[in-house]
């Protein structure tokens, strides 16, 4: 291990990963999230790989064992019964052998697998396991462009805010106005029993989350129908950038492993995606913006979703502009990177994805800014992340103004990202 860690954070992070390890998958945290989450697992594998490479590959493999026949990889796999979470398997009712949700999450797997491969000490193991995952990840990428980009724009839409991973962002407010709050079955929220209700989505937002789930369920989770039937179709630059990065990384890896057809298909997806992403750029905001595909308008919201494209190979000038935007946030926020512009009156420092800092998104923004040569601000993001851990422990997320820990505690992907940050810091 290359980590120079005098304060024992590394060991503590490993302990958090172990605590949440269920053998072949890891739960995000006990209580609040008792199942396997898609992008949590892929990012968790990066942390695990510093301790046990084989276990890290298993984390992603377990997720892909539950890939749907059409290629979709669900956002939650309900491996065990636990009634502490809403909406549980019977609400989704997707009919899968092991119950899963019916929507997806940001496609970080392609990126994670390439990173696991690149730094694997056991190259034979990595080659064998990467070769098994490549076609599955390729199928998922194909699924995205077929089902979520029916007109071939080069960008995919999310059909539910939970797909973005930034569940409660201000980005969704405008499109959410179209989603009814009536006509849904009565339900009891469980999130507010585990976390402070003032930090969680409002009742009206939750009703709309449930409305969409019931609408899609009524269509038998047939992905060839859901896109056009959904009143919520948002083209999120962050979500697309992650997918574009994953396509590019999968292409590189496939090329190295002699899988030329997979390499070509993914290279093409990444190139088209990068070109199309340009249509979401806003000079005025110095970042990308979401497009509401139903109304055709760009969304007036300056969120982290518009900074995440730094993670993909966007033009240098765009990455530099994003770096300046993050620096501007740093004038108000003590900790980087807030999930929403702190100077926007809608910013809420503690409410889910409407202001707080997450270490996973910090990791992706910093990774992109390092690659773009914006080292100073990228280093500040890493420093900020490590300071948060030292001050406030391994929380789900943090208040960017005070550093206060929020949401669930002893959180898996936070611990995984800390291991990654320590490793990177030691190598720099
Ligand atoms: C919340 C987050 C989502 C994450 C999940 C489990 O729903 O918004 O991004 O995957 O928790 O940690």
């Amino acid at each position: 291990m290359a980590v120079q860690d005098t304060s024992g954070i590394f060991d503590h992070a490993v302990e958090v990963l172990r605590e949440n390890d269920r053998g072949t998958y890891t739960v995000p945290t006990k209580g609040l999230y008792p199942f396997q989450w898609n992008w949590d697992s892929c990012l968790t594998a990066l942390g695990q790989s510093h301790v046990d490479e084989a276990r890290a590959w298993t984390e992603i493999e377990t997720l892909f064992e539950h890939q749907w026949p059409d290629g979709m990889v669900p956002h939650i796999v309900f491996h065990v019964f636990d009634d502490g979470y809403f909406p549980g398997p019977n609400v989704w009712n997707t009919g899968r052998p092991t119950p899963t949700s019916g929507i997806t999450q940001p496609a970080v797997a392609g990126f994670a697998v390439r990173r696991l491969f690149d730094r694997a000490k056991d190259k034979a193991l990595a080659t064998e396991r990467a070769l098994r995952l490549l076609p599955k990840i390729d199928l998922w990428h194909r699924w995205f462009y077929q089902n979520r980009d029916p007109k071939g724009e080069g960008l995919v839409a999310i059909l539910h805010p939970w797909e973005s991973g930034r569940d409660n962002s201000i980005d969704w407010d405008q499109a959410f106005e179209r989603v009814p709050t009536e006509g849904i079955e009565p339900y009891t929220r469980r999130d507010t029993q585990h976390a402070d209700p003032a930090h969680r989505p409002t009742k009206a937002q939750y009703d709309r989350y449930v409305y969409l789930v019931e609408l899609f369920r009524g269509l038998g989770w047939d992905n060839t129908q859901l896109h056009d039937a959904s009143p919520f179709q948002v083209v999120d630059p962050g979500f697309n950038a992650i997918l574009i990065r994953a396509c590019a990384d999968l292409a590189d890896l496939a090329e190295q492993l002699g899988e030329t057809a997979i390499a070509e298909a993914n290279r093409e997806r990444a190139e088209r995606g990068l070109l199309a992403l340009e249509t979401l750029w806003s000079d005025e905001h110095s970042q990308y913006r979401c497009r509401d595909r139903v109304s055709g308008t760009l969304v007036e919201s300056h969120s982290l979703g518009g900074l995440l494209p730094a993670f993909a190979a966007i033009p240098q000038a765009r990455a530099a502009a994003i770096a300046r935007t993050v620096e501007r946030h740093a004038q108000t926020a003590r900790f980087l990177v807030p999930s929403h512009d702190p100077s926007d009156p809608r910013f809420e420092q503690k409410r889910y994805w409407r202001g707080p800092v997450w270490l996973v998104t910090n990791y992706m923004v910093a990774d992109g800014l390092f690659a773009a040569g914006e080292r100073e601000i990228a280093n500040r993001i890493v420093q900020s992340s490590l300071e948060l851990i030292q001050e406030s422990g391994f929380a789900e997320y943090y208040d960017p103004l005070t550093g206060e820990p929020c949401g669930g505690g002893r959180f898996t992907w936070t611990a995984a990202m800390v291991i990654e940050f320590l490793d990177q810091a030691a190598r720099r």
Side-chain angles (χ1 to χ4, degrees):
M1 182 195 61
V3 178
Q4 273 283 321
D5 170 28
T6 45
S7 53
I9 309 177
F10 181 91
D11 291 346
H12 195 166
V14 172
E15 198 182 291
V16 172
L17 291 185
R18 289 223 172 93
E19 242 173 56
N20 294 327
D21 189 343
R22 298 292 174 270
T24 53
Y25 68 95
T26 314
V27 299
T29 188
K30 281 183 293 203
L32 187 60
Y33 301 117
F35 315 107
Q36 181 176 27
W37 262 258
N38 184 324
W39 74 325
D40 293 63
S41 264
C42 296
L43 295 166
T44 297
L46 296 174
Q48 288 170 331
S49 71
H50 295 274
V51 189
D52 181 346
E53 288 186 0
R55 177 65 188 80
W57 288 106
T58 302
E59 184 75 23
I60 302 180
E61 281 167 3
T62 304
L63 176 69
F64 277 84
E65 274 164 25
H66 301 276
Q67 183 169 30
W68 285 19
D70 68 357
M72 203 268 284
V73 183
H75 101 293
I76 306 175
V77 183
F78 299 102
H79 292 280
V80 289
F81 176 78
D82 190 314
D83 67 356
Y85 181 81
F86 176 85
N90 51 344
V91 179
W92 293 96
N93 197 17
T94 54
R96 300 290 306 146
T98 299
T100 72
S101 70
I103 57 171
T104 193
Q105 253 192 337
V108 282
F111 154 76
V113 161
R114 183 196 170 176
R115 190 148 281 189
L116 286 187
F117 182 86
D118 283 353
R119 65 174 180 219
K121 296 200 178 68
D122 189 341
K123 275 288 188 260
L125 175 89
T127 304
E128 183 205 323
R129 305 203 53 181
L131 276 171
R132 282 213 298 263
L133 278 166
L134 277 179
K136 297 183 178 188
I137 302 176
D138 175 51
L139 186 64
W140 189 25
H141 292 177
R142 197 176 76 192
W143 173 87
F144 267 118
Y145 290 102
Q146 267 177 357
N147 294 280
R148 298 307 183 77
D149 181 20
K151 295 211 176 109
E153 292 171 15
L155 296 172
V156 300
I158 54 161
L159 306 184
H160 193 295
W162 292 342
E163 294 199 307
S164 72
R166 299 181 297 109
D167 300 18
N168 193 31
S169 170
I170 291 162
D171 290 351
W172 326 130
D173 290 0
Q174 177 191 313
F176 239 13
E177 291 292 315
R178 265 193 308 271
V179 180
T181 51
E182 282 113 46
I184 49 177
E185 290 165 15
Y187 66 92
T188 309
R189 280 173 73 166
R190 308 307 296 263
D191 59 320
T192 40
Q193 294 166 356
H194 298 286
D196 185 342
H199 302 173
R200 302 289 305 178
T202 62
K203 164 140 183 9
Q205 274 158 342
Y206 232 85
D207 286 348
R208 292 178 160 122
Y209 295 146
V210 175
Y211 177 90
L212 289 174
V213 170
E214 291 186 5
L215 172 73
F216 301 152
R217 187 182 66 198
L219 294 168
W221 296 108
D222 175 357
N223 274 302
T224 63
Q225 291 188 49
L226 302 194
H227 179 280
D228 291 355
S230 180
F232 183 93
Q233 303 167 7
V234 179
V235 179
D236 168 11
F239 190 90
N240 276 279
I242 291 170
L243 178 57
I244 290 167
R245 169 73 182 262
C247 287
D249 281 348
L250 199 75
D252 287 349
L253 181 58
E255 214 159 86
Q256 279 189 62
L257 296 176
E259 294 284 345
T260 14
I262 294 183
E264 271 166 28
N266 283 280
R267 182 83 57 223
E268 208 240 299
R269 288 169 188 141
E271 280 164 11
R272 289 186 62 229
L274 279 172
L275 276 179
L277 203 57
E278 280 297 289
T279 62
L280 305 181
W281 178 258
S282 162
D283 270 331
E284 187 199 334
H285 299 83
S286 200
Q287 64 168 83
Y288 294 84
R289 288 161 76 184
C290 287
R291 188 170 50 237
D292 180 336
R293 195 175 261 169
V294 176
S295 68
T297 53
L298 288 175
V299 179
E300 187 56 45
S301 172
H302 331 147
S303 82
L304 173 61
L307 308 176
L308 273 169
F311 191 50
I314 53 171
Q316 180 71 30
R318 302 281 186 248
I322 286 176
R324 303 295 83 79
T325 303
V326 177
E327 283 166 4
R328 188 168 51 75
H329 289 351
Q331 291 166 9
T332 321
R334 215 180 120 212
F335 298 98
L336 294 174
V337 178
S339 46
H340 200 84
D341 183 345
S343 66
D344 184 332
R346 294 169 295 179
F347 167 87
E348 289 183 78
Q349 66 195 82
K350 286 190 177 51
R351 204 187 284 275
Y352 225 47
W353 294 107
R354 298 172 92 87
V357 175
W358 264 258
L359 257 59
V360 278
T361 42
N362 275 5
Y363 178 73
M364 289 185 259
V365 174
D367 185 273
L369 293 179
F370 276 124
E374 292 289 345
R375 302 188 66 80
E376 198 194 322
I377 188 69
N379 271 319
R380 274 174 78 182
I381 296 172
V382 174
Q383 242 357 80
S384 217
S385 306
L386 293 173
E387 275 165 31
L388 281 169
I389 298 301
Q390 256 152 345
E391 280 192 24
S392 305
F394 294 83
E396 181 177 4
Y397 63 93
Y398 306 86
D399 178 331
L401 306 186
T402 65
E404 192 185 314
C406 303
R410 300 187 70 75
F411 219 84
T412 297
W413 67 5
T414 306
M417 293 301 99
V418 169
I419 296 175
E420 284 284 289
F421 285 136
L422 288 173
D423 180 63
Q424 287 174 355
R427 277 195 259 169
R428 229 168 260 132

